[in-house]
Amino acid sequence: MGSAFRWPLRVYYEDTDAGGIVFYANYLKFFERARTEWLRAAGVSQQLLSNETGCMFVVKNASIDYHAAARLDDHLEISVRIQKLGRASVQFTQEAWRINDHDSARLCTGRIRVGCVNMTSLRPAEIPAEVFRKISGANESMLTART
Amino acid sequence: MGSAFRWPLRVYYEDTDAGGIVFYANYLKFFERARTEWLRAAGVSQQLLSNETGCMFVVKNASIDYHAAARLDDHLEISVRIQKLGRASVQFTQEAWRINDHDSARLCTGRIRVGCVNMTSLRPAEIPAEVFRKISGANESMLTART
Amino acid sequence: MGSAFRWPLRVYYEDTDAGGIVFYANYLKFFERARTEWLRAAGVSQQLLSNETGCMFVVKNASIDYHAAARLDDHLEISVRIQKLGRASVQFTQEAWRINDHDSARLCTGRIRVGCVNMTSLRPAEIPAEVFRKISGANESMLTART
Amino acid sequence: MGSAFRWPLRVYYEDTDAGGIVFYANYLKFFERARTEWLRAAGVSQQLLSNETGCMFVVKNASIDYHAAARLDDHLEISVRIQKLGRASVQFTQEAWRINDHDSARLCTGRIRVGCVNMTSLRPAEIPAEVFRKISGANESMLTART
C-alpha cells in the first residue's frame, strides 16, 4: 500500500450479508470513513466545512473492482491517495486490504471522484481556499514521504 | 394482525447478515418504512412537514422483542397501530410478520414512541394542528374498521 | 428508460444522510433490489439458487456516475438491462430515476458486473443451466419488447 | 460511565439521516460493535465461535431510550455492562455518550438481551463452557475494578 494514508477497521455483523461476506456496497462506506479521517488529519472537519462555508463534498463517480471477500471479524485497512486535485473536485484512488495475522490480501480497488457543491443548490462550487490549501499540503507530505 | 395498517416488503441481501438472517437493527428500518407509509396514507409527507413547519418526528423510545428470524427472499408484512396519540408524541405498536406461501410467523413486536421536535433546536414541539387532525382521523378509521 | 425492467421504490430516512440527500452507497442497494426482482420475475430465487446449487451471485465490478440527488419521500425507479450475458457472469446497465409528479430526472447510471461463484470457495462457477436459460429468456423478451 | 468497558467511535455521513442527526436504528449497530469488542477483549471471536461450536449470539430483546442526538463528526463512546449472565443468555446495559472537547452528554441507554442459539436450527443453546468462563471472568474483572 506504499505510503498512502491508511485507516484500520473491523468487520462486524452489520457489514456482512447472508453470503457470509462483507456486502459489496459497504466498501463505499469504508472508503468514505477513510477519506473523512484523512481530511480530519489534514485539519478539515466536514461538519465545520458545511456550517462555515455552506459547502459539502459529494461523490460524482465511483468505480470499484472487487478482488477478494472479507468475513466477520476480519481486520481491514483502507488506503487513501489523491490522484488529481482540482479547484472543485478531488480524484482519489483507494484500496481495501485484509490484514490478518497470517494472511493479507487486497480486497478491492476504488476510484472515487468527489466534488465540492453548495449545500442548498447542490451546484458545483470551488473548494474553499483554506480547505484547498490543507488538502494540498497533506497531499504533498504524502508524495514526499513516498520518495 | 387484525385491521391495522400493513406494509409489505421483501428481504434483500442488504438486510441480512453473516448469521444468514435479517440483522436485528434492520427491523427498526422496516418499522419506520411502515410508519412513513401509514403517515403518507393519512395525507402527511414528512418532507413537506419539515419544509413547511420546521418540525420533524424523532424516535424517543423503541422496545423490540424478537420471536423468530427472517431470511433472504422472505416476504414480510409490517403492521402499524396507534397505542396512544398525544399532543407532542405518538405511541405505536408494530409487528413484523413473515408471510410466505406455506408458512406465516410473527417475527418481532415493537413499541415505538415518536416525538415531534423543532428541527433546529431538537426541542419537543406540538404536532402541527393539521397533521394532528390527519393522524387522528386515520386512527379513528382503523378503530372503526376493527369493530 | 426504454423497455428495460423497472423497479419502483421510495426514499426513507434510512436512505438519506446529513447532506439532506440519498447517501451515495445506497444506490448500490437500490440497484441490487432491482436486479433481485428482475431475477425473481425471470423465475429465479436467490435463496433457492444457493440452497440447491451451492452457488451465489457476487458483484465483481461496479461503476457509477452520479448526475443528480434524491431527497426524502422522492419516488424512484430503478432500471435493469443486460449488456452482456456470459457463462459465468452477467454485465448489467442500470439507472436510477426520480419520478415525481412534476419533475423527473436521471439520478445515476451504473454498470455492474455480477459473477457466479461457489458459496464456500468463492471461486468462479458456471451459472447453473436452468438459471442461465431463464435469464437468457427474460433478456430476449426485453429485447423483443424494445423493437 | 463508571468502570464499564467503553468503545470509541466517530459519526460518519453513513450514520446520519436527513434530519441532520444519527439515524435511530444505528445505535443498535454501535451497541453491537461495542459488545463485539468487549467479547474480543474477553478472548472470544464470534467468527471462531460459530465455526467451532455451530453456535452464535442473537438479540432476543432490545429496549432503547433516546435522550439526545449526535451529529456528523461527533466522537462517541459506547459502554458495555453485564446486568445478568445466564447459561444461555446475557443481559447487557449499554449507553452511548457524546464526548466532544467542550461538551459531553448521554445520548441513549439500551437494555439488550442476547441469546446463544444453534446456527442451523436457531434454537436456544447453552453458551459453550469456555466462552461462558471467559465472559464470566471478564465480568468479574469489571466488577472488581468498580469497587
Side-chain angles (χ1 to χ4, degrees), chain B residues 18-19 21 23-25 28-29 32 35 56 58-66 69 71 119-120 122, chain D residues 18-19 21 23-25 28-29 32 35 56 58-66 69 71 119-120 122:
Chain B
I21 57 179
F23 183 64
Y24 81 118
L28 287 179
K29 294 185 177 179
E32 189 178 86
R35 290 196 308 273
M56 65 177 177
V58 299
V59 173
K60 306 304 276 181
N61 317 100
S63 171
I64 308 182
D65 290 304
Y66 297 92
R71 295 182 185 278
M119 280 195 80
T120 312
L122 298 178
Chain D
I21 58 179
F23 183 65
Y24 80 118
L28 287 179
K29 294 185 177 180
E32 189 179 88
R35 291 196 307 273
M56 63 178 180
V58 299
V59 173
K60 307 303 277 181
N61 319 100
S63 171
I64 309 183
D65 291 304
Y66 297 91
R71 293 182 186 277
M119 282 194 79
T120 312
L122 298 178

Side-chain angles (χ1 to χ4, degrees), chain C residues 20-91:
Chain C
I21 57 177
V22 169
F23 183 64
Y24 80 118
N26 290 339
Y27 290 98
L28 286 180
K29 294 185 178 181
F30 299 166
F31 285 165
E32 190 180 85
R33 290 184 204 172
R35 291 196 307 272
T36 300
E37 295 300 340
W38 173 80
L39 262 178
R40 197 190 318 282
V44 181
S45 146
Q46 291 187 88
Q47 178 77 339
L48 279 179
L49 174 68
S50 58
N51 287 349
E52 289 179 3
T53 69
C55 288
M56 63 179 180
F57 287 113
V58 298
V59 173
K60 308 303 277 180
N61 320 99
S63 171
I64 308 182
D65 290 304
Y66 298 91
H67 315 298
R71 295 183 185 275
L72 188 64
D73 285 333
D74 277 346
H75 176 236
L76 309 191
E77 276 189 12
I78 313 296
S79 70
V80 180
R81 267 186 216 283
I82 287 188
Q83 213 59 37
K84 195 180 157 196
L85 172 57
R87 280 288 151 189
S89 71
V90 192
Q91 175 80 41

Side-chain angles (χ1 to χ4, degrees), chain A residues 54-128:
Chain A
C55 289
M56 65 178 179
F57 287 113
V58 299
V59 173
K60 307 303 277 182
N61 318 99
S63 170
I64 308 182
D65 291 303
Y66 297 91
H67 315 299
R71 295 182 184 277
L72 188 63
D73 284 334
D74 278 345
H75 176 236
L76 308 191
E77 275 189 14
I78 312 298
S79 70
V80 181
R81 268 184 216 284
I82 287 188
Q83 212 61 37
K84 195 179 157 196
L85 173 56
R87 280 288 150 190
S89 70
V90 191
Q91 174 80 42
F92 293 95
T93 301
Q94 300 194 255
E95 292 179 350
W97 283 73
R98 180 176 62 225
I99 312 280
N100 288 338
D101 282 357
H102 303 294
D103 99 296
S104 153
R106 195 170 50 144
L107 304 175
C108 61
T109 307
R111 282 158 301 281
I112 316 286
R113 193 163 64 83
V114 168
C116 187
V117 300
N118 176 287
M119 281 194 79
T120 311
S121 69
L122 299 177
R123 294 253 172 82
E126 279 215 347
I127 298 171

Side-chain angles (χ1 to χ4, degrees), chain B residues 1 4-11 15 22-40 46 57-59 61-68 70 76-82 90-98 105-114, chain C residues 12-14, chain D residues 23-25 28 59-64 66:
Chain B
M1 298 173 75
F5 178 86
R6 285 175 203 140
W7 187 251
L9 56 86
R10 278 285 184 178
V11 174
D15 303 312
V22 169
F23 183 64
Y24 81 118
N26 290 339
Y27 290 98
L28 287 179
K29 294 185 177 179
F30 299 166
F31 285 166
E32 189 178 86
R33 290 184 204 171
R35 290 196 308 273
T36 300
E37 295 300 340
W38 173 80
L39 263 178
R40 197 190 319 280
Q46 292 188 86
F57 288 114
V58 299
V59 173
N61 317 100
S63 171
I64 308 182
D65 290 304
Y66 297 92
H67 314 300
L76 308 191
E77 276 189 13
I78 313 296
S79 69
V80 180
R81 267 184 215 286
I82 287 189
V90 192
Q91 175 80 40
F92 294 95
T93 300
Q94 298 193 257
E95 292 179 351
W97 284 74
R98 180 176 60 225
R106 195 171 51 145
L107 304 175
C108 61
T109 307
R111 282 160 300 282
I112 316 286
R113 193 161 65 81
V114 168
Chain C
Y12 298 113
Y13 267 117
E14 66 183 89
Chain D
F23 183 65
Y24 80 118
L28 287 179
V59 173
K60 307 303 277 181
N61 319 100
S63 171
I64 309 183
Y66 297 91

Side-chain angles (χ1 to χ4, degrees), chain D residues 100-127:
Chain D
N100 289 338
D101 281 357
H102 302 295
D103 100 295
S104 152
R106 195 171 49 144
L107 303 175
C108 61
T109 308
R111 282 159 301 282
I112 315 286
R113 193 163 64 83
V114 169
C116 187
V117 300
N118 176 287
M119 282 194 79
T120 312
S121 69
L122 298 178
R123 294 251 172 83
E126 280 214 347
I127 298 170

